[in-house]
Amino acid sequence: MFGVRQGSVLSRILFALYIDDINDSAVLFPGCHIILYADDILLISPSVMMLNRLLHACETELNDIDLAINFRKSSCIGIGQRNDAMCASIVSLNDHVLITG
């Protein structure tokens, strides 16, 4: 396998170029946003249901380019007046449950 060293300046640039098309997924979901920074992806959604759909769209897009989400390093947080309310779980296409906190 060939690539660049993790932490290299070039690795962040190549990652951003490689997954740039993932931003198109947010267009399909009104009110949702995808923020890419270095090798991180932030999904923002006004509802749990929309977040789950956006996650599935991103998973599909990443699977197409042989990348996967590390669910051990992923979590979900609620922001706003109802941030402490219990909500439905966010579940991936492969039945991984996102940690809420």
Side-chain angles (χ1 to χ4, degrees), residues 28-32 45-56:
L28 303 173
F29 304 97
C32 293
S45 170
S47 72
V48 173
M49 182 179 73
M50 292 294 282
L51 181 60
N52 215 44
R53 289 180 182 170
L54 184 59
L55 174 64
H56 291 174

Side-chain angles (χ1 to χ4, degrees), residues 31 47 60 77 85 97 99:
S47 72
T60 301
I77 62 170
V97 178
I99 299 168

Side-chain angles (χ1 to χ4, degrees), residues 18 57-68:
Y18 198 62
C58 288
E59 281 183 283
T60 301
E61 194 76 34
L62 290 170
N63 284 338
D64 289 346
I65 56 174
D66 292 328
L67 291 177

Side-chain angles (χ1 to χ4, degrees), residues 11-54:
S11 66
R12 291 184 212 121
I13 294 168
L14 291 175
F15 178 78
L17 290 172
Y18 198 62
I19 67 164
D20 187 54
D21 288 343
I22 207 165
N23 279 323
D24 297 339
S25 299
V27 175
L28 303 173
F29 304 97
C32 293
H33 303 280
I34 299 174
I35 298 172
L36 305 172
Y37 178 76
D39 61 350
D40 295 322
I41 301 171
L42 176 64
L43 305 179
I44 300 173
S45 170
S47 72
V48 173
M49 182 179 73
M50 292 294 282
L51 181 60
N52 215 44
R53 289 180 182 170
L54 184 59

